[in-house]
Structure formats: structure tokens, C-alpha cells
Amino acid sequence: MDGLVNVLVTVAVVAIVIARQFRARAIDTDRRWWLLPVILAVVSLREPGILDADHRAESAVLLVAELFIGLVTGVGWGWTTRLWTAPDGVVWTKSSKASGAVWIVGIALRAGVFALGSALGVHQDSSALMLGLAGTLLVRGGILTWRARSVGAPSHPTPSRPAPAYGDDERSAWKERV
């Protein structure tokens, strides 16, 4: 696959993921949440230009940094996402403002890695970005699936409040009139 196609696929996947993360949606813990990340990883690893032939050590370090950033972003995203159980026992998810901050920091760090590689004269293929995204989605999916399974169904049929995600503020946004 050509580099431009990899970039377009990565941008499309990121756009879909970001658009979906801020809408409440049910989690199906039995579905294959790992399938898209595995496909992205396989596609990215098939590319011969994932490491720069002239700067193998430097490009390997940048690739490891990209993977690390992807994994940490996935962990942050998975733990800052709200989960709650509906009265019918279905577990729902929706990203919080903290999740958006995790994405912004992750993108900024990836841009920094790209800038560092450019400054070192290392050719960077889009496959590294796609592999980092695969790591992000895999870790996030695993954490959310694990959290959803641990939430379980409510013991009584009253609606439950969303479990706060890290970074959520428990205070009400409006003042109640007396």
C-alpha cells in the first residue's frame, strides 16, 4: 500500500473513532473489539518502509516511541471513558472531556516524534502512525471490555448514574434554586 493510502486510511479511522467516542453507545463485550486494531497492525507491518534503511537504529527508536505513545494514549482513553449500566443491564460508554484531553496530548506527542525524526533526517513512513493507532485502539478496547464486564448488571431495576471517569468533576454545573 502506498504511503498516501496509509495516511488516508489512518485519518479515516481516527475521524470515525473520534466522532463515535463522544456519543453514548452500548458496549457488547462479546464482540470482536480487537479485530480492527489487528487489521491495522497487519496492514502497517506489511509495509517495507516502516524502518528507514539509512537510519535503522534511529527509526527503530522512533517506532518504539510511537508505539509507547499509542499504548499510553489507549490506557488514558480507556480509563477516562465513562461507563454505566442501564436498567436493562446493558453497559453504555461515552468519552469524557478528559478523554478528549488524552487525544490532544497523544496527537501532540506524535507530532513531536515526527518533528524529531524530521530533524534527525529519518524517513518516517505512515505505517508507524498506523501501528501506533492500532496499539491505541487495542489497549482502549481491552480496558473498556474489562471495565464493562466488571460493572455488570444492576441488582435492582432503578437507573444508575454514570460511573465517573478520571478527571470528571462530581459537582453540578448549575446551582439549584431554593
Side-chain angles (χ1 to χ4, degrees):
M1 214 184 285
D2 140 280
L4 179 61
V5 174
N6 278 355
V7 170
L8 292 175
V9 167
T10 303
V11 168
V13 169
V14 168
I16 290 168
V17 167
I18 289 175
R20 290 181 64 198
Q21 81 172 339
F22 289 102
R23 287 186 306 203
R25 63 186 182 92
I27 292 183
D28 181 6
T29 57
D30 294 331
R31 74 178 178 90
R32 294 185 182 117
W33 53 268
W34 48 266
L35 188 59
L36 177 62
V38 168
I39 290 170
L40 287 174
V42 168
V43 168
S44 67
L45 290 173
R46 289 186 49 166
E47 296 296 316
I50 198 162
L51 292 178
D52 185 356
D54 297 331
H55 304 93
R56 283 209 171 292
E58 294 90 347
S59 64
V61 168
L62 292 174
L63 179 62
V64 168
E66 175 69 36
L67 286 172
F68 180 75
I69 291 168
L71 296 175
V72 170
T73 301
V75 168
W77 186 17
W79 283 106
T80 58
T81 300
R82 288 185 201 102
L83 290 178
W84 68 94
T85 306
D88 61 358
V90 176
V91 179
W92 288 78
T93 180
K94 183 177 179 183
S95 289
S96 64
K97 289 178 185 177
S99 302
V102 167
W103 266 100
I104 291 169
V105 169
I107 290 170
L109 289 172
R110 285 182 168 111
V113 167
F114 184 80
L116 177 63
S118 294
L120 295 173
V122 177
H123 171 74
Q124 299 170 77
D125 197 64
S126 59
S127 298
L129 180 63
M130 192 181 297
L131 190 60
L133 178 61
T136 299
L137 295 176
L138 185 67
V139 169
R140 186 248 187 193
I143 289 173
L144 283 182
T145 300
W146 176 75
R147 287 181 62 204
R149 287 181 180 157
S150 68
V151 169
S155 58
H156 48 78
T158 60
S160 63
R161 290 186 47 191
Y166 181 79
D168 280 351
D169 195 318
E170 288 288 324
R171 293 174 297 175
S172 177
W174 55 276
K175 205 172 194 179
E176 191 173 344
R177 295 184 188 255
V178 183

